[in-house]
Amino acid sequence: MQQSQLQAIIDHDKEPWAADMKDLLSDALTLTQIAHDQGKPAVSPEQAHQIHQRFDACCDQAIKFHEGLPPLARPTKTGKRGRPKRRTSPALEFFETPLKT
């Protein structure tokens, strides 16, 4: 997940887990940069374990949040063939007409 996607979830969707995940990723990056500056190839096993625990907690929080949401509304079917038409622009009609061979 890119930082811009995560920020959009925080700003637009107002999902509480996303801010915790953003903090976690920022902290993990800082710890990795410190380890690199000290000549170490990676963070310590203890730090890695803490990062994994925080990550799992964020994921659990996100799952619980989404499980608590109502189901998405399904579009009502119209006609005999299922989904209602979505394209209204004449410029996009070539998507709906079969190719002539």
Side-chain angles (χ1 to χ4, degrees):
M1 177 175 291
Q2 293 182 354
Q3 186 174 1
S4 60
Q5 293 170 319
L6 196 54
Q7 190 63 47
I9 293 171
I10 293 168
D11 295 341
H12 183 265
D13 300 332
K14 309 281 191 243
E15 296 191 20
W17 64 270
D20 293 339
M21 181 66 79
K22 183 178 177 184
D23 292 342
L24 163 65
L25 295 175
S26 176
D27 292 347
L29 178 62
T30 300
L31 290 172
T32 303
Q33 289 171 336
I34 291 170
H36 180 71
D37 291 346
Q38 293 174 350
K40 299 176 185 174
V43 297
S44 71
E46 295 83 18
Q47 289 172 326
H49 181 70
Q50 290 174 350
I51 291 168
H52 282 270
Q53 283 182 323
R54 287 178 62 191
F55 181 82
D56 288 344
C58 288
C59 291
D60 289 343
Q61 187 181 9
I63 290 169
K64 287 178 186 174
F65 177 81
H66 282 267
E67 286 177 343
L69 293 176
L72 293 174
R74 296 182 149 237
T76 58
K77 291 186 177 184
T78 60
K80 296 179 184 179
R81 306 256 354 230
R83 290 195 317 206
K85 233 180 178 182
R86 292 187 183 182
R87 293 182 193 90
T88 57
S89 171
L92 300 176
E93 284 181 6
F94 66 92
F95 284 118
E96 297 192 17
T97 55
L99 293 174
K100 295 179 182 175
T101 55

